[in-house]
Amino acid sequence: MDYQKVASEVLDAIGGKENLEELTHCATRLRFSVNDKSKINEEKLKNNTKILGFVNNNGNYQIIIGPSVQDVYNAIRNTGDLEASGTKNIHTDEAEKKSILDRFLATISAIFTPYIPILATSGIILGLIAIATNFGWLSEESPTYITLNAMGNALLYFFPILLAFTAAKRFGANPFVGATIGAAIMHPSLSGILVSGENVSFLGISYSAMNFANTVIPIIIAMWVFSYTEKFLRTYLPKVLHFMLIPLLSILLMVPLTLMVFGPVGNLFAGWIAALYRFLSDGNLIVFSVVFGVLFIFVIMLGLHWVVLPLQLQILAEQGMEYSLAAGGMGNYALLGIALAVLIFHKDKKMKEVAGSAGFVNLISGITEPTLYGICMKNKRYFLALILGGATGGLVCGVFGIYVKAFAFTGVIGLPAFAAASEVFVYYLIAIFSSITVGFAATYLLDRRQKKESNG
């Protein structure tokens, strides 16, 4: 792919670099907003064969590129000289015009997106460790095991520090001060006395301690409050004192508040989430898994997975296992079955090419957008195959109680992470096979039926 040419075509279709207000990207999509919506040529974007799809979600635009999105993103920034044109890639006042849901999703996305590849990598490392341990190749007491385990668990354990950085940046505060606040609550000498449920005191003020390792909610709340604290200090302190006093007062104020207020409040929210999760999964795990198998791929399409992901990570960190990540991935494998059926049976040469590349990317790395937008959106009947395949895989997950012990993407690369849950891994493979098979068969039958209807 000629990334510079794609960049020029994208900029031309959205009204030029002057019309581009904000530009970011995730694993497969460019996300942007514009100053004047009327200048966007949606047909030009949709008809561009180098673009897999275009989504307009109430003014939050997405262009589906695929695995090469980073290259296209870089090319757009270079081609458009965006800094010179005034384009922003951070939270701006104009965002206030967006709906509360859009702003919330954009915020969660900005905070968590940088860590998704590292989360997946951590899961793979933990899975490989589990495999090596189960086969007796590695002893849990060995320095090698301890080193590898530290690699796999580092991100989740120190998540408060990393999330503090991206959350503070998103909320418009100094991210380095934010990371320092996160590091303070994770300092070994402090975390050693923060045994959850114990009563401790600061300056004579008693509070209920909690351990912040593996948590996500408390530090995000703290950084939101920190952003307003910093703005207050910038407004009322003389400018000559900003350099030293703002970081000093922010740390002196926010660390104790995080320990005594935001930690317990965030822990309370986390407890409610965990209770609701247990109620839903314990009530009927089969229904729970089928629902995730069917719906989670559509949740991803709508961008709402940024609401669910922090909850899944919190549950995984607290309980050491989680069900919905396994069941929710079944839609991905149903899409793989759809791509395989189109590749083998479809008569259109271009569709077969799209199916081949989309299926390969899905198989290896679990990226689904090429199949969703390159195949399913062009033949809405395939969504029935997607639902049936996802439901079947979800059913198998529910029947056998399939769970994960580490965050992972679907696909061959992510399999070691799922293998960490060795007790249910064989059943997980059966669920994968079921989803692919049903997605494949349903697509074949739908195409045959459509052909018969066309022939009259």
Side-chain angles (χ1 to χ4, degrees):
M1 180 186 291
D2 186 340
Y3 304 123
Q4 290 296 142
K5 184 176 181 182
V6 175
S8 298
E9 292 172 350
V10 167
L11 282 172
D12 178 62
I14 65 177
K17 65 182 181 181
E18 297 80 8
N19 195 38
L20 190 58
E21 178 189 56
E22 184 177 8
L23 178 69
T24 58
H25 73 88
C26 59
T28 57
R29 313 180 193 192
L30 291 172
R31 300 173 184 268
F32 66 96
S33 57
V34 295
N35 298 306
D36 185 351
K37 299 176 183 178
S38 65
K39 292 183 179 180
I40 295 180
N41 189 332
E42 294 193 13
E43 287 304 312
K44 185 177 287 188
L45 288 170
K46 291 177 180 177
N47 293 330
N48 190 322
T49 57
K50 305 178 193 70
I51 293 172
L52 297 173
F54 173 74
V55 179
N56 178 358
N57 184 16
N58 296 321
N60 290 315
Y61 301 101
Q62 300 176 29
I63 296 175
I64 294 85
I65 301 293
S68 57
V69 66
Q70 176 74 59
D71 298 301
V72 175
Y73 171 82
N74 292 337
I76 290 176
R77 293 189 65 82
N78 294 334
T79 300
D81 190 16
L82 301 185
E83 298 298 338
S85 67
T87 299
K88 312 170 187 68
N89 64 350
I90 59 174
H91 180 65
T92 63
D93 292 336
E94 287 87 346
E96 298 299 325
K97 301 174 184 177
K98 300 175 184 176
S99 70
I100 293 175
L101 177 60
D102 287 339
R103 283 154 48 197
F104 176 76
L105 292 176
T107 296
I108 297 298
S109 174
I111 292 172
F112 281 92
T113 295
Y115 305 116
I116 297 301
I118 313 171
L119 280 166
T121 300
S122 299
I124 293 170
I125 293 172
L126 292 173
L128 292 173
I129 294 171
I131 294 171
T133 305
N134 289 337
F135 279 95
W137 300 335
L138 196 60
S139 168
E140 294 184 6
E141 288 76 32
S142 69
T144 301
Y145 176 93
I146 293 169
T147 302
L148 291 172
N149 192 59
M151 293 178 191
N153 281 307
L155 177 62
L156 272 179
Y157 185 86
F158 291 106
F159 226 2
I161 302 174
L162 299 167
L163 288 178
F165 184 89
T166 49
K169 185 177 180 180
R170 178 64 187 182
F171 294 134
N174 187 322
F176 299 100
V177 176
T180 303
I181 294 168
I185 64 175
M186 293 300 298
H187 193 279
S189 62
L190 180 57
S191 61
I193 66 171
L194 295 179
V195 180
S196 296
E198 294 289 325
N199 287 323
V200 293
S201 65
F202 175 75
L203 295 177
I205 303 172
S206 296
Y207 64 95
S208 180
M210 67 166 288
N211 192 313
F212 287 86
N214 304 315
T215 62
V216 298
I217 297 175
I219 200 66
I220 293 176
I221 296 174
M223 290 303 101
W224 179 69
V225 175
F226 163 53
S227 69
Y228 284 97
T229 302
E230 189 180 74
K231 289 174 185 176
F232 176 85
L233 294 173
R234 288 192 179 280
T235 301
Y236 292 101
L237 283 177
K239 286 189 177 180
V240 69
L241 299 176
H242 283 190
F243 180 74
M244 289 298 297
L245 283 189
I246 289 179
L248 173 64
L249 294 176
S250 295
I251 292 171
L252 287 176
L253 181 64
M254 293 306 303
V255 171
L257 282 177
T258 302
L259 293 174
M260 296 188 289
V261 180
F262 308 129
V265 169
N267 199 35
L268 183 63
F269 278 124
W272 290 343
I273 292 166
L276 177 61
Y277 180 91
R278 283 193 295 270
F279 172 77
L280 294 174
S281 59
D282 293 348
N284 194 320
L285 183 58
I286 293 177
V287 173
F288 178 83
S289 298
V290 169
V291 168
F292 266 89
V294 171
L295 295 182
F296 197 65
I297 190 68
F298 297 100
V299 171
I300 293 173
M301 283 182 66
L302 296 172
L304 295 175
H305 56 298
W306 295 115
V307 178
V308 182
L309 177 62
L311 309 182
Q312 292 173 317
L313 291 175
Q314 189 73 50
I315 296 296
L316 183 60
E318 288 182 355
Q319 301 183 2
M321 59 180 290
E322 205 279 326
Y323 294 105
S324 66
L325 280 166
M330 291 300 112
N332 294 24
Y333 287 111
L335 282 171
L336 178 56
I338 292 170
L340 290 174
V342 171
L343 175 64
I344 295 172
F345 299 114
H346 208 281
K347 301 301 181 184
D348 186 275
K349 184 178 179 181
K350 179 164 180 55
M351 281 290 285
K352 291 171 77 73
E353 290 176 355
V354 172
S357 61
F360 178 76
V361 169
N362 191 352
L363 173 66
I364 298 301
S365 60
I367 293 174
T368 58
E369 280 85 352
T371 311
L372 275 171
Y373 295 97
I375 297 176
C376 292
M377 292 297 289
K378 294 178 180 177
N379 189 334
K380 302 300 192 296
R381 293 187 181 206
Y382 292 154
F383 280 108
L384 177 58
L386 173 58
I387 291 170
L388 292 174
T392 304
L395 177 63
V396 175
C397 287
V399 169
F400 293 104
I402 298 171
Y403 56 85
V404 299
K405 290 185 176 180
F407 178 85
F409 288 131
T410 57
V412 172
I413 294 176
L415 277 180
F418 290 96
S422 56
E423 305 88 349
V424 295
F425 183 58
V426 172
Y427 301 122
Y428 178 70
L429 295 178
I430 294 173
I432 290 175
F433 179 78
S434 301
S435 289
I436 294 174
T437 301
V438 172
F440 180 93
T443 302
Y444 170 72
L445 293 173
L446 286 168
D447 276 347
R448 284 196 61 183
R449 181 176 178 182
Q450 186 175 24
K451 186 176 180 180
K452 287 182 180 179
E453 291 175 354
S454 298
N455 294 335

